[in-house]
Amino acid sequence: MAQAHSLGKRYIKAFFKGFFVAVPVTVTFLDRVACVARVEGASMQPSLNPGGRQASDVVLLNHWSIRNYNVQRGDIVSLV
C-alpha cells in the first residue's frame, strides 16, 4: 500500500513538472509563432466560408511571416 502511495505521488509530481514546462512553451508558441483562429461571416467570401454557409472556417495565423515582413500579394492578413 505504501508503495502504491509513493508511486502515485511520483506521477503527480511528474505531471506538475511537465505542466509547468508545457504551459509557458505553448503560450509563447501561440503568441510568437502561430495560432489558430475561426473565420465567421461574409467578410471573407468567397475565399473563406464559401456559399454563405453557416459553419465557420478554421485558419492558421502565421505570426513569423509578419515579423519578417514576408507578406505577398494574395496573402490573407488578419487584424485584431
Side-chain angles (χ1 to χ4, degrees):
M1 184 72 175
Q3 187 180 13
H5 181 68
S6 172
L7 188 62
K9 208 173 191 181
R10 193 173 344 147
Y11 281 127
I12 290 173
K13 189 175 181 180
F15 170 78
F16 280 112
K17 240 185 198 179
F19 181 79
F20 286 122
V21 170
V23 169
V25 168
T26 303
V27 169
T28 302
F29 179 82
L30 292 175
D31 187 43
R32 300 289 179 188
V33 179
C35 67
V36 177
R38 281 188 343 183
V39 177
E40 299 174 332
S43 64
M44 290 300 297
Q45 286 177 348
S47 297
L48 301 173
N49 293 337
R53 58 189 175 132
Q54 296 297 321
S56 61
D57 285 341
V58 179
V59 294
L60 179 69
L61 301 176
N62 183 356
H63 297 284
W64 205 255
S65 300
I66 300 300
R67 181 178 308 241
N68 297 330
Y69 301 104
N70 190 15
V71 181
Q72 300 171 355
R73 183 177 182 169
D75 288 350
I76 298 173
V77 179
S78 173
L79 301 174
V80 179

